Amino acid sequence: MRLLLLLLVAASAVARGEASANLGGVPSKRLKMQYATGPLLKFQICVSGYRRVFEEYMRVISQRYPDIRIEGENYLPQPIYRHIASFLSIFKLVLIGLIIVGKDPFAFFGMQAPSIWQWGQENKVYACMMVFFLSNMIENQCMSTGAFEITLNDVPVWSKLESGHLPSMQQLVQILDNEMKLNVHMDSIPHHRS
């Protein structure tokens, strides 16, 4: 009962948008960061593949550039892949439930159960594990983007999807140095109204 209550509270928080993004154990501080004045460096990454790289880059960049605000978020795959992963997640649970209960869904449609279903009924633990792991593998493949996109003040400075590789720490520091110098130079030019 207590677990059900906790799940309901968490679901309602997510529905209200109160759940904060959490990359690498660093909670998003969007409310506090709204009032900061430094430049914003935003990472959009495939969390399953590049979390540690993001954490390392964030640590080095925050030491080298203390005024830069750093945010990280998950780079979402195309909607069709998200829907496929959601469907598989629900289908997996239904299929595991049918295996455990022993209901034959093929009889409902007037079909003879295939031999793999009969094997699953005889080996319920193995069948449930197989469904669970195969479904998770396909879901993860659907949700994986391979993205490592970096923007500075909403201006793209690196895209793994375009370049095909991650920036080295030296490349990223060089890009940030150049962008920071350019921004300082642009801020020092007097603006004339015409």
Side-chain angles (χ1 to χ4, degrees):
M1 186 66 169
R2 180 180 267 172
L3 179 62
L4 181 61
L5 182 61
L6 287 173
L7 287 173
L8 288 173
V9 169
S12 65
V14 169
R16 289 191 312 264
E18 293 176 1
S20 65
N22 188 353
L23 281 178
V26 180
S28 175
K29 299 179 183 174
R30 293 181 190 264
L31 294 177
K32 290 182 183 178
M33 289 187 168
Q34 287 178 352
Y35 304 108
T37 58
L40 174 63
L41 185 66
K42 183 184 278 188
F43 289 81
Q44 290 183 312
I45 64 172
C46 177
V47 178
S48 62
Y50 299 115
R51 173 184 266 167
R52 289 189 182 129
V53 175
F54 166 72
E55 290 171 352
E56 179 66 20
Y57 283 15
M58 185 177 72
R59 185 184 61 76
V60 170
I61 291 169
S62 62
Q63 288 175 353
R64 185 172 175 116
Y65 305 101
D67 293 337
I68 289 184
R69 297 175 293 145
I70 301 172
E71 288 184 4
E73 62 187 26
N74 192 11
Y75 187 91
L76 295 175
Q78 295 177 1
I80 185 72
Y81 293 119
R82 291 195 313 252
H83 294 305
I84 290 170
S86 294
F87 171 77
L88 281 174
S89 179
I90 293 169
F91 182 73
K92 163 184 65 179
L93 295 176
V94 169
L95 190 57
I96 288 173
L98 289 172
I99 291 170
I100 291 171
V101 172
K103 288 286 187 181
D104 183 4
F106 299 99
F108 180 74
F109 297 108
M111 299 169 54
Q112 182 180 359
S115 60
I116 192 161
W117 182 260
Q118 293 168 352
W119 175 86
Q121 290 302 302
E122 295 168 3
N123 303 290
K124 291 184 180 196
V125 173
Y126 292 123
C128 289
M129 288 175 52
M130 184 178 72
V131 167
F132 181 80
F133 288 117
L134 286 176
S135 177
N136 279 350
M137 182 180 66
I138 297 169
E139 288 172 49
N140 286 336
Q141 190 65 32
C142 287
M143 294 301 290
S144 180
T145 60
F148 197 87
E149 312 302 294
I150 306 171
T151 59
L152 181 64
N153 292 332
D154 295 327
V155 176
V157 294
W158 189 269
S159 172
K160 181 188 175 283
L161 296 177
E162 291 179 12
S163 69
H165 66 281
L166 293 174
S168 68
M169 185 58 73
Q170 290 175 331
Q171 286 176 314
L172 186 55
V173 166
Q174 183 66 40
I175 290 168
L176 291 176
D177 282 341
N178 292 340
E179 290 291 328
M180 300 298 269
K181 287 176 187 175
L182 181 63
N183 287 342
V184 168
H185 178 70
M186 294 303 284
D187 289 342
S188 66
I189 297 175
H191 299 286
H192 297 293
R193 293 188 178 188
S194 48

